[in-house]
Amino acid sequence: MIQHVHGWGQIPGVDSHRLVHPGGTKVATLLYRERNRPLLKLGALIDRWSRHPRFTEPRLGHPDAFATAEGEHAVTVSIAGVVDGKPAQQDLGFVFGDDFYALVHGICFVEAEFTRLRTLVRGLVFHDEHVLGVRRRRYLYTPPPRWQGLANGFQTDWYPTDYPANPTSISVLPATPTEVPTAELFAARIQQDVSRGFGLESASGPRELSLPNGLTGLCYAAVGLSPYGRRFFRKMTIFRAGRYVYPLFVDTAAADEERGEIERVFDDVCASVQAVPQATIGSTPSQALSHWLG
Amino acid sequence: VRLVLRSPASWGTEPLEGGRVRVSAAPSVSLDIDPLVPRPDDLEAWVRQLLVRDVPPAWVVDAHDKQERTTEVGWPMALYFLRLRHEQVVEEIRVCAIYRLLAHAGAVIVRAAPAAWPGSEAEVLASLYSARPEWGSPEAVCVADLLSLGGDA
């Protein structure tokens, strides 16, 4: 829920709120929709929400990615354009939940108000409240270039373009709040594989990892035979920050001479991991119902 | 998500309803490529209804052969060779290629007039063996898809 905007008129809708600039709809309006699905890629979201029958000559600004006060991923972007021959501007803001997004959409027809609207949208996005709390979460990393990603709930599996001839996959599991020691997590995962027919031949680690952004973790490796008799190499990295662990692993049955490149791709993914954003509002009470208080 | 086949430049394509694509390999020889679907729990039942799709009521379907194969890059595929008869006359040669792609399944139905099939068979089968999944979709699969435009702007 976004904060109350003093001076703006409110028009409640079925699943949205529309806000009108004190100068009227000919100056600017805002739309807020709290729950939207599906969770499309940013380009598709911008395309979906920036369509306007009279908005022409769109020039997309650079997306500004940041974390909200609650620690949720968010993006704002401005689109300059023309409406009825005069400059106009749309400002889009998205706050990303696990399987939904909240939208703030502003459109302004008075050039003198452009900067104010942009600032207002960013502020509304920053303070947008969802109270999602500590939970399993997807986190930011750079996907392996040209590999194909398949999302399965919170987990994403990445496959090279020549899969399955190249029997390799990288799995990125969600950041998960847990107090279980990293070594126990690795042992539990291997035990789970063994119970499914994986013939463990050797395991090694941990090796300590430390990223420039401060994330630290442990790296393990295991070799064994799949139930189909194929020898697989697994490398598993588990970062830990705050309450969360961040597990990633690569599985490959590729020939030894190809494994180095595969490990390099995996290591690059691991090196790009960023911890989930932390909430910055601390113990400040929610402002979500401030409009009731006048 | 879709199935991608390599095909000669001379083959034409046209969209069909339901996200299917028809590829014309030659006069009276076509390939209908279905969109990928979540792998059905009962794969055999799903295949059975594909084999007889759009068969006229009075026609008889003869299963001629089934071959378990893999695509060029190793995806498991099954080829079903069928003959569609009407009053003892073979009216259509049909080949159904079924692909098992992790949690998805794909299908291509080849239809050919019997006289046209021999001249196209090699090219069509080569195309079926070239199939690979393209998982890309407008939906985000990771946080990076949400925070930057990447290649989808």
Side-chain angles (χ1 to χ4, degrees):
Chain A
M1 178 177 276
I2 54 172
Q3 291 186 322
H4 180 59
V5 184
H6 291 286
W8 287 57
Q10 287 201 50
I11 307 172
V14 173
D15 58 357
S16 62
H17 276 271
R18 188 171 294 278
L19 307 179
V20 179
H21 186 278
T25 57
K26 291 182 177 175
V27 178
T29 59
L30 282 165
L31 173 74
Y32 177 68
R33 286 175 53 126
E34 188 172 29
R35 286 289 194 278
N36 303 277
R37 296 183 173 87
L39 199 52
L40 302 175
K41 293 176 183 173
L42 182 58
L45 287 180
I46 292 171
D47 184 54
R48 160 76 178 80
W49 290 106
S50 63
R51 287 179 206 152
H52 185 282
R54 292 184 293 133
F55 194 91
T56 59
E57 303 176 35
R59 297 184 306 281
L60 186 64
H62 187 71
D64 178 20
F66 56 95
T68 69
E70 287 185 329
E72 304 299 338
H73 290 293
V75 166
T76 58
V77 63
S78 276
I79 308 167
V82 173
V83 170
D84 299 335
K86 295 178 181 174
Q89 177 178 291
Q90 294 189 65
D91 284 281
L92 293 167
F94 304 100
V95 178
F96 299 110
D98 300 315
D99 62 348
F100 74 92
Y101 62 95
L103 165 76
V104 180
H105 178 207
I107 185 163
C108 186
F109 308 101
V110 176
E111 198 165 1
E113 293 290 308
F114 285 176
T115 302
R116 183 171 176 227
L117 183 77
R118 184 181 306 129
T119 305
L120 179 60
V121 167
R122 197 185 193 285
L124 290 172
V125 168
F126 179 76
H127 292 289
D128 189 18
E129 293 188 356
H130 295 273
V131 201
L132 300 176
V134 176
R135 65 198 191 277
R136 283 183 303 158
R137 292 181 64 176
R138 296 197 283 189
Y139 50 90
L140 183 60
Y141 59 91
T142 303
R146 294 175 297 283
W147 289 37
Q148 296 200 83
L150 266 179
N152 181 7
F154 290 92
Q155 177 174 333
T156 302
D157 298 315
W158 295 92
Y159 299 92
T161 52
D162 55 350
Y163 183 91
N166 176 359
T168 300
S169 62
I170 290 175
S171 297
V172 182
L173 281 63
T176 304
T178 180
E179 300 298 323
V180 177
T182 303
E184 284 186 34
L185 292 173
F186 173 72
R189 178 65 205 211
I190 290 295
Q191 186 55 44
Q192 185 185 70
D193 293 339
V194 168
S195 71
R196 292 173 177 170
F198 181 70
L200 181 66
E201 295 179 330
S202 66
S204 60
R207 178 171 59 85
E208 292 186 0
L209 284 177
S210 179
L211 300 185
N213 63 19
L215 266 184
T216 58
L218 298 174
C219 182
Y220 298 84
V223 177
L225 292 177
S226 77
Y228 306 103
R230 205 168 193 180
R231 179 160 286 103
F232 269 85
F233 169 80
R234 165 173 292 180
K235 189 171 177 180
M236 187 169 194
T237 297
I238 303 175
F239 292 108
R240 186 177 284 276
R243 316 178 179 197
Y244 287 99
V245 295
Y246 303 77
L248 309 90
F249 55 85
V250 59
D251 281 314
T252 182
D256 287 349
E257 59 269 24
E258 295 166 4
R259 219 177 70 195
E261 173 62 15
I262 291 165
E263 282 193 70
R264 189 193 61 75
V265 171
F266 175 67
D267 291 344
D268 285 349
V269 173
C270 291
S272 71
V273 170
Q274 295 188 30
V276 296
Q278 297 298 301
T280 53
I281 52 175
S283 58
T284 306
S286 169
Q287 297 297 308
L289 300 177
S290 61
H291 58 294
W292 288 7
L293 306 173
Chain B
V1 293
R2 63 187 185 131
L3 197 62
V4 178
L5 276 67
R6 191 177 60 243
S7 61
S10 61
W11 292 10
T13 63
E14 63 171 308
L16 301 178
E17 63 181 22
R20 280 186 276 156
V21 174
R22 174 161 294 168
V23 180
S24 296
S28 303
V29 180
S30 65
L31 297 80
D32 289 355
I33 305 172
D34 280 19
L36 297 183
V37 296
R39 194 160 157 174
D41 291 336
D42 189 344
L43 193 66
E44 288 302 315
W46 179 71
V47 170
R48 277 197 300 275
Q49 56 89 20
L50 281 174
L51 299 182
V52 298
R53 179 193 280 166
D54 300 333
V55 175
W59 290 24
V60 175
V61 178
D62 290 333
H64 173 54
D65 193 13
K66 179 191 174 188
Q67 299 174 3
E68 289 289 345
R69 294 284 186 265
T70 56
T71 66
E72 289 172 1
V73 294
W75 290 105
M77 66 185 280
L79 290 174
Y80 295 81
F81 295 86
L82 311 169
R83 289 189 185 120
L84 276 55
R85 280 188 296 113
H86 182 224
E87 296 180 345
Q88 305 307 317
V89 176
V90 176
E91 300 281 358
E92 179 182 310
I93 301 293
R94 179 173 291 200
V95 180
C96 295
I98 306 297
Y99 301 91
R100 301 188 294 279
L101 311 161
L102 298 174
H104 288 81
V108 178
I109 300 177
V110 181
R111 295 170 172 182
W117 178 238
S120 299
E121 182 176 358
E123 272 190 331
V124 168
L125 290 179
S127 184
L128 295 178
Y129 279 102
S130 74
R132 60 183 173 80
E134 202 170 83
W135 306 122
S137 81
E139 293 195 28
V141 298
C142 61
V143 173
D145 285 343
L146 300 170
L147 302 187
S148 64
L149 290 169
D152 72 339

